[in-house]
Amino acid sequence: MEANRILNIIMSGSVGPVVILVSIIIMVWYAGAVYLNSSFLIDRYEKNNIDWSLSELATDSWSMERPVLPSPHQVAKELKKTIWDKKITSKHSLVFHSGVTLSSAMLGFAMGTFLGILLSVGIVYVPALDRTLMPWIIASQTIPILAIAPMIVVVLGSMGIVGLFPKATISTYLCFFPVVVGMVKGLRSPNIILVDLMHSYSASKAQVFWKLRIPASIPFLFASLKIAIALSIVGAIVAELPAGAQGGLGARLLSGSYYGQTNLIWAALITASVISATLVSVIGRMERSINKRMGLQT
Amino acid sequence: MSEPTSSKSSKSTSIDINNLCLTFETQTEPVHALSDINLQINSGDFVSLIGPSGCGKTTLLRVIADLEKPTSGTITVEGKSPHEARLDRSYGYVFQTPALLPWRNIESNIHLPLEMSGYSKHEQKKLSQQYLSLVSLIGFEKKYPWQLSGGMQQRVSIARALSFNPDMLLMDEPFGALDEITRDRLNEELLHLWEKTQKTVVFVTHSIPEAVFLSSKIVVMSARPGKIINVIETNFSKDRTFDIRETPEFLEVSQLVREGLKEGHNDGS
Ligand SMILES: Nc1ncnc2c1ncn2[C@@H]1O[C@H](COP(=O)(O)OP(=O)(O)OP(=O)(O)O)[C@@H](O)[C@H]1O
Ligand SMILES: [Mg+2]
């Protein structure tokens, strides 16, 4: 009875299930660390004729200096070291590198959203653009971003454009696509009867646009923005991978893999995903508050 | 041509339709929605369109409203082409479904046409109050469409069509979703309003008593192809009440309409 009630309390909130899920992930992670690091350790044990037990193997595999898969507490230590202990201005601070990535991601996101909305309006209002533009837009997304990112950065660099902007264009490249697709659908979403209603008032094109199409597209826009903002982080990191990037989470990933510092790689990866998740939830919050102001259900 | 604000003598022609046909080209086969329609509607007339489902009532209303283009034939509205009449905001249209903007509350839904006609905020507020009270929806100003029943939403759309005081009202089964009592009340209100304002009303309905009670002219239509079977003029006093529903003339007219409808049905099958 009592146990049941406690279980109910734990599972009813949103915290309970999350805690349970996270604990499961951490457990699997620890097990995975043992599994992936074991072959190297067992080799070493056997070379040096050391007797070993499973518990020794576990403790050793969780405290290697360059593990194949670092254990959660090692990554946590690395995160604490690079986020709390280092000064923000330090080249070893993850906060510093996150800032670099975030600023180019946000610039790219803003440009991508703007470009996406602009293109979608063109596609919806100009039939010729609808036919000609859309295939190119889709084709653009079939090119692997990893292949063109260095080119864009190098080409823009040779034109004297360096710094934030070339990196941001990679994010833009990824961001604009979901925005175009969502907004085209959104701008076309008003029921035909509502369009007729506007016509019956002899509404101008601008009035139909601002009073009908734009409000109707808002839910579609937010769905797209959630995808776009996560992509903007991916784009920024990819843009930092080409050699020469001075900072950013991408540069950290790269130097981590150069020197086999898996702790560092994982710390950067986790930071990146926490940033993405936070940004997506910020968009979600904005969406809810705007929905509320527009009186929409849910 | 006539200037837009010419004085309206009560017998000038408001809508003039001659040999009008409309065929929808569909993927399978053409649909002859309207065939050889001839109809003259005087300004100040209350005209009901009645006929079986699919006979083209909505289509005819949409042609008058310039939301649909006829395939052949001519039509003038207030002496102009339907297109010009639409640009002049000559009519208020009540659609078969409420057609409210879901992100606007009730009040601001009614403000929509007023905003576009350039009324001041103050006038918008005053007019929305006036017409919301006409359809008994005071107190619902700040509610959103999804918070209202279907019938209440339809009343909002009626208030919205009236709010900017157009010369003509085009109403597509506006009271179809309402209960009998509300329907009766709104019938009386509409009659009142019509009598007071001398608006031209074109009104689609499936209800014979409603058509007979409200109309000065009843247009009976038949389906496939949609055409006019009979036009019945009525002569009830303008300040009639529901009491006339018991009178022999009322029943006689009802009988005429019913016979027209039956004839249309037989034709169709
Ligand atoms: N856009 C369209 N494309 C093709 N066919 C259409 C279109 N609109 C209407 N029709 C056809 O035209 C005919 C008349 O339709 P309409 O909507 O005018 O009927 P209605 O008299 O209003 O019927 P109801 O009483 O059910 O509302 C129907 O057969 C319908 O299928
Ligand atoms: Mg209809």
Side-chain angles (χ1 to χ4, degrees):
Chain A
M1 266 329 276
E2 192 63 9
N4 239 339
R5 230 188 59 207
I6 290 169
L7 194 69
N8 265 339
I9 290 168
I10 292 172
M11 295 310 286
S12 63
S14 63
V15 179
V18 170
V19 167
I20 288 169
L21 191 69
V22 169
S23 340
I24 291 173
I25 289 173
I26 288 178
M27 264 150 45
V28 171
W29 187 347
Y30 270 114
V34 174
Y35 176 75
L36 287 169
N37 299 336
S38 61
S39 64
F40 174 82
L41 285 172
I42 292 171
D43 267 3
R44 200 168 68 186
Y45 292 147
E46 283 176 354
K47 225 180 268 166
N48 300 334
N49 287 322
I50 301 171
D51 282 337
W52 56 279
S53 66
L54 201 60
S55 70
E56 277 169 339
L57 177 68
T59 30
D60 281 348
S61 63
W62 291 337
S63 56
M64 287 167 72
E65 193 153 332
R66 285 179 187 180
V68 177
L69 176 63
S71 56
H73 68 263
Q74 286 176 300
V75 175
K77 219 173 92 193
E78 175 75 18
L79 281 170
K80 179 179 173 296
K81 192 177 89 192
T82 48
I83 290 175
W84 289 114
D85 299 350
K86 293 270 190 277
K87 278 222 305 266
I88 288 180
T89 48
S90 153
K91 280 270 181 279
H92 295 283
S93 163
L94 264 187
V95 180
F96 164 76
H97 291 289
S98 301
V100 172
T101 301
L102 197 61
S103 53
S104 88
M106 288 304 93
L107 178 62
F109 174 71
M111 294 193 302
T113 304
F114 181 74
L115 179 67
I117 292 175
L118 207 67
L119 287 172
S120 67
V121 172
I123 286 169
V124 168
Y125 277 91
V126 186
L129 288 184
D130 184 18
R131 268 172 283 122
T132 53
L133 218 50
M134 212 52 192
W136 287 104
I137 289 172
I138 291 166
S140 78
Q141 301 300 306
T142 61
I143 300 168
I145 186 71
L146 263 174
I148 60 157
M151 279 178 358
I152 292 178
V153 173
V154 168
V155 166
L156 287 178
S158 74
M159 288 160 63
I161 305 167
V162 288
L164 204 57
F165 186 78
K167 278 166 59 188
T169 53
I170 310 293
S171 294
T172 304
Y173 189 88
L174 290 181
C175 280
F176 86 98
F177 183 67
V179 176
V180 172
V181 173
M183 280 302 281
V184 166
K185 199 158 178 355
L187 291 172
R188 286 186 177 148
S189 68
N191 200 316
I192 184 80
I193 209 165
L194 293 180
V195 179
D196 282 343
L197 177 79
M198 297 300 277
H199 281 163
S200 83
Y201 301 141
S202 97
S204 66
K205 271 202 161 148
Q207 283 170 327
V208 176
F209 182 72
W210 289 110
K211 290 183 194 292
L212 182 61
R213 294 199 186 275
I214 284 288
S217 71
I218 295 297
F220 294 83
L221 177 64
F222 273 106
S224 298
L225 289 185
K226 279 186 203 163
I227 303 169
I229 203 154
L231 284 178
S232 76
I233 295 289
V234 174
I237 288 175
V238 167
E240 286 157 357
L241 288 179
Q246 294 304 307
L249 293 173
R252 289 302 271 177
L253 286 175
L254 201 66
S255 68
S257 64
Y258 267 149
Y259 304 114
Q261 291 171 307
T262 40
N263 293 348
L264 198 154
I265 294 177
W266 280 84
L269 280 180
I270 286 179
T271 310
S273 58
V274 167
I275 290 173
S276 294
T278 311
L279 291 175
V280 171
S281 84
V282 167
I283 299 280
R285 251 164 223 277
M286 280 166 62
E287 180 181 26
R288 275 197 294 281
S289 89
I290 286 188
N291 274 354
K292 213 166 157 188
R293 276 188 39 202
M294 290 174 70
L296 297 181
Q297 255 167 313
T298 73
Chain B
M1 294 291 287
S2 67
E3 55 266 48
T5 48
S6 63
S7 65
K8 274 185 293 173
S9 79
S10 63
K11 277 301 165 203
S12 69
T13 303
S14 169
I15 301 170
D16 191 3
I17 302 173
N18 286 299
N19 307 322
L20 186 133
C21 296
L22 193 149
T23 307
F24 288 112
E25 295 301 337
T26 62
Q27 260 130 17
T28 48
E29 53 181 21
V31 178
H32 301 282
L34 296 174
S35 142
D36 198 29
I37 302 287
N38 287 288
L39 184 63
Q40 276 69 45
I41 296 174
N42 293 327
S43 69
D45 264 352
F46 194 120
V47 177
S48 286
L49 306 179
I50 193 164
S53 180
C55 73
K57 304 180 295 293
T58 299
T59 308
L60 182 55
L61 211 58
R62 286 173 60 85
V63 169
I64 296 170
D66 186 41
L67 298 174
E68 212 80 71
K69 296 260 177 283
T71 315
S72 66
T74 60
I75 170 169
T76 60
V77 178
E78 308 273 307
K80 295 165 272 193
S81 72
H83 182 70
E84 289 164 323
R86 176 169 69 78
L87 294 187
D88 289 345
R89 301 195 176 95
S90 307
Y91 64 83
Y93 197 111
V94 179
F95 290 87
Q96 210 163 344
T97 53
L100 303 175
L101 303 186
W103 53 83
R104 284 178 171 241
N105 63 28
I106 298 315
E107 183 178 62
S108 107
N109 258 292
I110 294 182
H111 290 171
L112 180 70
L114 302 173
E115 284 167 20
M116 295 204 253
S117 307
Y119 285 82
S120 73
K121 281 260 178 306
H122 177 75
E123 287 168 313
Q124 288 177 20
K125 187 99 189 166
K126 211 183 95 205
L127 286 167
S128 63
Q129 283 296 308
Q130 181 185 334
Y131 286 99
L132 276 175
S133 93
L134 183 76
V135 295
S136 310
L137 283 175
I138 292 293
F140 290 90
E141 295 87 345
K142 300 294 174 206
K143 291 267 191 291
Y144 283 88
W146 58 273
Q147 295 170 307
L148 268 60
S149 74
M152 290 158 102
Q153 292 179 26
Q154 191 60 332
R155 273 142 67 195
V156 176
S157 86
I158 292 166
R160 180 178 59 184
L162 293 170
S163 67
F164 61 106
N165 195 25
D167 291 341
M168 279 195 299
L169 280 176
L170 308 178
M171 309 176 91
D172 196 350
E173 294 184 44
F175 306 142
L178 302 180
D179 66 277
E180 200 83 357
I181 305 293
T182 316
R183 190 173 181 144
D184 279 357
R185 208 183 59 66
L186 284 172
N187 275 346
E188 276 189 315
E189 291 291 357
L190 184 59
L191 190 71
H192 233 87
L193 190 99
W194 170 64
E195 189 195 319
K196 216 168 57 193
T197 59
Q198 290 298 307
K199 284 184 200 305
T200 310
V201 183
V202 186
F203 186 93
V204 175
T205 181
H206 280 292
S207 154
I208 297 177
E210 187 174 72
V212 178
F213 176 69
L214 288 171
S215 316
S216 57
K217 208 180 239 181
I218 302 164
V219 177
V220 185
M221 297 177 68
S222 77
R224 267 166 297 266
K227 59 171 188 268
I228 296 178
I229 295 243
N230 199 358
V231 178
I232 300 158
E233 309 239 358
T234 66
N235 235 328
F236 301 111
S237 78
K238 285 224 157 184
D239 53 356
R240 55 188 173 265
T241 62
F242 278 124
D243 296 340
I244 67 153
R245 288 199 283 203
E246 316 298 331
T247 62
E249 295 114 293
F250 189 94
L251 296 175
E252 197 182 311
V253 176
S254 301
Q255 191 54 31
L256 264 175
V257 175
R258 184 165 289 115
E259 273 162 17
L261 282 174
K262 263 193 200 145
E263 190 187 322
H265 263 287
N266 295 342
D267 267 17
S269 57

